[in-house]
Amino acid sequence: MTRATLVTAQAAATSTTADPYVSIVMPCLNEEQTVAVCVRKAIGWLEHAGLQGEVIVVDNGSTDRSVELAGEAGARVVHERRRGYGQTYLRGFTEARGEFIVMGDSDDTYDFSDLSSLIEPLTRGADMVVGNRFAGGISRGAMPWAHRYIGSPIINFVIRLFFGARIGDSQSGLRAFRRSVPERLQLRSGGMELASEMIVSAARAGMTITEVPAPYNVRQGESKLNTVRDGWRHIRYLLIAAPDFLFTLPGLAMIGLGLVTSVLSFVAPGGVEIGSLSWQPVFAGTILLAIGVNSALVGVVAKLYGASHGLRNEDRWARLYRRWFHLESVLALAALLFASGLLIDGLLFVVWTSRSAAGMGMQLAALAQTLLIVGAELGMAGFLIVTVESP
């Protein structure tokens, strides 16, 4: 009988039926210095708390003695060939049998000897509990200065701004949650960005997220974290998960600037004097309007695609888009704009071939090109919206 089995048997004899079964999941990649320590601490906590449980170490291709040492310490070791922090955890979540799941790195940065503060909110109804390192105390040298004062605060701010999740340590790797949470959230991230995906998806699903203080210690062994690469993966995920902020709002801002600039080109046909220079806003207006409309339309498509395919909850904006973006009405507007552009171009052509002078000819030509571009974009976007909405 392994020690993990012994813990389960002893706890079962002393616990009540109300006591949950806890699975503690640890990813592992060449952590021979610390993995056994973490496993023994976790098993010791289960014994002390009188809980049934298991410790699962998910090996991600270790070449040292990590697997051997984890097994000897009492863990159930499973192997995940697909490389990545997220892939390792997703495998561990699948293997877990507990009503509650605790996740934490096997580098001894988190204290597995006392996990009661993580479990207690779950027994009171919370869906997910996050160990806040900033509230629990970060040991000197445990976290790089750039991560502590730049990276983590920026990601926390973006998550609050984009998704409304008010959390103080979104990048903490010590968490506990109900077994149903990973399946309900349909987690997909294979890298470090899984930490952000869990928070974002839980917030969108209306789950209760609680934070508790968690001390953070200096890791033993080589860090697998790449500041630039992994930081970008988090930001990239957050931007892709928020098409309103990535596409729609910037697009609307550019449309507004484009309209103002285009009007300015007619108000000041001779250009805007800036010192000794003269700026012609006519070209900027066309470019801003074309890019802005394209960006806003991509945002609409991304929003509807995500809602239709279960990637995000349908919000009021998605419902608004569905209400107004009908193929026939979009195509009618697109045809009107395109025809108007052709008409202006045709009139200008007649004037120029007759060798007559066309007042504000450059501004009218720019307006015609803008109408042609925007009309074509609307028409193509209308068909694309129908495509992504199709089952």
Side-chain angles (χ1 to χ4, degrees), residues 147-161:
H147 294 187
R148 184 170 185 174
Y149 297 104
I150 300 177
S152 291
I154 288 177
I155 294 176
N156 291 341
F157 172 76
V158 171
I159 289 177
R160 286 195 298 270
L161 177 65

Side-chain angles (χ1 to χ4, degrees), residues 72 112 150 220 233 245 288 341 388:
E72 290 177 355
F112 288 101
I150 300 177
Q220 304 296 320
R233 289 178 71 107
F245 289 89
L288 287 170
V388 301

